[in-house]
Amino acid sequence: MRRSLPALLTAAALTLGMGGAAAAAAPVRGGLAAAAEPTPVDLVDPAAPPSDRENSPTPSPDPTPTETSRPSPTPKRSPSSRPTRSSARSPEATRTPGAGTAGTARPAPSGGQSLPTPTREEPKEEEEPPPLEKAVMADDETLKAGLISADAEAQARLVDVEDQRIIQTRAALTALLQAGGIAAAQRKRPQVFVSAYGRTLVLPARNDTTAPYTLRDIAAVEKGRYLRRMKDGSYLLGVQVFVADGASLQLRGPLTLRMGSLPGSFSSIISFGGDIDIKGTAAKPVRITSWDVRTRKPDLTTTDGRAYIRAVGGKFEMSYAEVSDLGFWSGRTGGIALTGTERPASVYRHRTKTQRHQDKAERLSKAGSQRGGSSFGDVETIPIGPGTATHVLADDLVSGSIRHSVITGNAYGLFVSGSNQTQIVDDEIRDSLAHGVFLHRFVNSATVQSTKVIGSGGDGFVLSRATEKVQITDCLAERNGRNGFTLNGQALAQGPSASGESLAVYGDNSVNDSVARDNGRYGVEVLGGSRLSVYTSEITGGDMGIVVREGASEVQISGNRLSGQARQGIALRDGATAGHVAGNTITDTLTGIYLRDSNAKVVGNKITTLVKPRAHGITMVGDVGATEITRNTVIGSGTSAISVSRSAHRVNEHDNVEDAWHDTSTFWVKAKRYVKPMNLIWAAVILLVIVSALRSRQAGADRRRRRTAIGDPYARQRVLEERPVLALRPAGTAPARSAYGGDRPRHREPSLPIHHPAPAPAAPATGGLTS
């Protein structure tokens, strides 16, 4: 009980709208500060005669004592605090439709909660509210003076305020319903919550019925104070609508709903776990637009906030609708937004009394026969005893469909995140300020078919990170500011992160049978991921046709028709691996297929380039190892049909048809194709071998000539030289003497040397032979 008491007090304060702190909190919208919490004015037709205004219901008095509201601490005076010219209640600031929200109101000192204060005595007679056209938040002079801030900080603050308002409203409603009893049962009907962030009309789940709410239920709240039928048959909405968990809002055609949207305040329709059902017919569509009562035109300014529609969890269905000029700044406030939630809706809690009794009987019957428990989503529970049930819910993903609708001028044409099996079929989205169709995080198994996105400021179609199994079929992206289609399959984190995101990449997304025409940047861009494909599509114009980068793997590009790109038809670069480029027809571009630091199998493409000196059919640059180029037909005129001169590895190139290619390269360009370091080294080696062989051949010829020449065999003989005859004699003997006395003549033949036996070892010889 102690824990629930603060929540109950908070819920009561928000619901009753009591509290000087909340009322005195100065609302800030786009840089403006209001001097007091203004009171909503009747939504009266500006063109209605005075008699119609007199017969209109009088609004109930505001429970907040605005007469004595404290001034805003902001020194700059806001135009919204000025009394209108014909206002009968000069002390009070008037409010136009959409004034149910206080914009970027500063939270009260208690953290945004209202504190109970004594109420003042209400006036006995209530005067007629001012006409709608006189209730202006800012005049033209103020707008021209630039007092309405257009900076990013102010717009981001608006989004933050909206998030806080939604969370507070849901928390207050949950606390009231959990109290139980008669008080909780009485709360299951339309009611208004007031907080520092403005007024919110809450549509809770009904008691024991699933009947949807309609505009009639909204118009019945406080005698039509927040919804008024205009003279032309349209309806003007002037409050934030909150469709709670278990409830549903139904809008049926023919219907024209104008959502009040002014500087300082705007209306919205938000479901949190509930359902929104908007359905018209081809002849009787549902038309929804923002509305500026000062100009009696749609609100075209987004810097100070603008009306929007959002489904948080639950189900959203729209068909045959015409939606225009909604949304501002972020995706979730961008116009029409379908977003999942980490706070799941409890379907079990909203079952009728009969259904609950049936569930209990079924549990009791299974309790004795089953030893295990029941299964709820991904969690299986074990029952504690008869009649008990444990229910643990998984995250709640939004689901739904948008069909046969036209969306024009939204900030984001259509924003989807945290959804499962959402279908976008046969729609037309024009002139979005940011992206056309933006499928953000955790969109699974979505189908986008027969949808046109034309003239967006950003991309036409975006499949952001963490989207999987999304098929885009038979769609058109034309004249968008950036890419026609963007497929991003990169991981949510590259390493450890505070949120602990997975490092896995995403994929299995495809674009097929679609058209990208005259977009400002690329026709299709693939960023990372795996198993992404673009096939049988037509890409016309743009800087480049299909670009694959950021390490994407196993990307298949086949059967596409590309023409008129300024630079490259198909480009794989910056680490793309295992790509498959096959059967594409590329015409009228400077380079047909371009690979840089990537590898792919390029097979069976037909390329016809522009007639320019720098044209190439296929170009390989950098590390393109494991690339195969085969059976391609290249037609055109330029420096080379298939350029591999700048590749770092040898490319497997064979069976390509280049007969119709006219080579316009100069001699030096052709020489440069072969002037590479390895080529120079091999050329030097071959030249050395040739020079050595030639020299060896010359030397051999000289030797053969010398051997085969005929001459005098004695020409090279030398005359013998006569020298004195040396006679050998034993050592120690006298020279031999002739018979005539004296020594023997030296011309005689020398006598044979006398061989003496070798002396004994003990007495080695001391002499030898002498001459």
Side-chain angles (χ1 to χ4, degrees), residues 167 170-171 245 272-273 312-313 340-346 394-396:
I167 292 173
R170 185 177 190 271
D245 181 11
F272 203 123
V312 185
T341 174
E342 297 178 355
R343 301 166 183 252
S346 177
D395 289 345
D396 189 13

Side-chain angles (χ1 to χ4, degrees), residues 112-403:
Q113 308 297 340
S114 300
L115 300 177
T117 56
T119 57
R120 294 181 176 270
E121 184 179 357
E122 298 179 0
K124 296 180 180 180
E125 296 182 1
E126 186 172 1
E127 300 180 359
E128 180 185 356
L132 185 64
E133 64 269 21
K134 299 298 183 180
V136 296
M137 299 295 293
D139 53 18
D140 292 340
E141 289 75 16
T142 302
L143 294 175
K144 292 179 181 179
L147 297 180
I148 298 178
S149 174
D151 61 352
E153 182 179 356
Q155 297 181 63
R157 187 168 61 249
L158 290 175
V159 177
D160 182 64
V161 165
E162 285 297 291
D163 291 341
Q164 295 297 326
R165 182 183 63 82
I166 294 171
I167 292 173
Q168 282 194 358
T169 301
R170 185 177 190 271
L173 180 62
T174 302
L176 289 171
L177 296 180
Q178 286 180 347
I182 299 176
Q186 292 176 348
R187 289 295 178 184
K188 293 185 177 181
R189 60 184 180 183
Q191 56 196 292
V192 176
F193 287 5
V194 180
S195 72
Y197 301 114
R199 293 174 177 268
T200 303
L201 174 59
V202 179
L203 304 178
R206 297 179 184 269
N207 273 320
D208 295 332
T209 180
T210 58
Y213 291 98
T214 63
L215 287 183
R216 180 175 297 179
D217 297 306
I218 299 176
V221 177
E222 298 186 16
K223 300 180 181 181
R225 186 178 188 179
Y226 303 110
L227 181 71
R228 184 62 55 84
R229 185 180 177 90
M230 309 295 287
K231 185 177 180 181
D232 59 0
S234 63
Y235 289 86
L236 187 60
L237 179 66
V239 71
Q240 308 272 10
V241 177
F242 183 92
V243 184
D245 181 11
S248 62
L249 175 63
Q250 187 180 84
L251 303 178
R252 290 289 184 265
L255 170 66
T256 299
L257 179 63
R258 296 171 177 173
M259 302 179 66
S261 183
L262 287 175
S265 60
F266 52 84
S267 60
S268 66
I269 299 176
I270 300 171
S271 67
F272 203 123
D275 299 338
I276 297 178
D277 187 9
I278 304 172
K279 288 185 180 179
T281 63
K284 300 177 179 179
V286 176
R287 295 183 175 92
I288 302 175
T289 184
S290 62
W291 194 253
D292 188 339
V293 295
R294 302 165 304 136
T295 61
R296 300 182 185 181
K297 294 180 181 180
D299 184 6
L300 303 181
T301 303
T302 61
T303 56
D304 53 3
R306 194 163 64 164
Y308 68 98
I309 300 174
R310 180 184 178 189
V312 185
K315 195 173 187 179
F316 182 91
E317 291 189 353
M318 184 174 74
S319 61
Y320 292 105
E322 298 177 6
V323 181
S324 62
D325 302 312
L326 297 181
F328 67 98
W329 189 245
S330 71
R332 57 186 181 274
T333 60
I336 299 179
L338 281 65
T339 61
T341 174
E342 297 178 355
R343 301 166 183 252
S346 177
V347 179
Y348 179 81
R349 185 174 69 245
H350 298 292
R351 295 176 70 81
T352 63
K353 185 176 181 180
T354 303
Q355 291 172 333
R356 292 197 298 270
H357 282 296
Q358 293 176 352
D359 294 340
K360 182 176 180 180
E362 184 177 355
R363 292 196 304 272
L364 289 172
S365 63
K366 292 181 179 181
S369 59
Q370 295 182 357
R371 301 181 62 182
S374 301
S375 176
F376 298 90
D378 298 332
V379 179
E380 183 177 352
T381 62
I382 299 176
I384 300 173
T388 62
T390 305
H391 194 171
V392 182
L393 291 163
D395 289 345
D396 189 13
L397 299 178
V398 67
S399 63
S401 63
I402 298 91
R403 298 173 178 269

Side-chain angles (χ1 to χ4, degrees), residues 513-533:
D513 299 326
S514 298
V515 178
R517 183 183 301 128
D518 298 331
N519 295 286
R521 192 165 175 250
Y522 307 148
V524 180
E525 184 176 22
V526 179
L527 301 170
S530 176
R531 301 181 306 279
L532 304 170
S533 59

Side-chain angles (χ1 to χ4, degrees), residues 605-621:
N605 301 282
K606 184 177 181 180
I607 304 170
T608 304
T609 66
L610 296 171
V611 182
K612 290 190 176 182
R614 298 173 55 189
H616 300 276
I618 301 174
T619 299
M620 305 284 116
V621 179

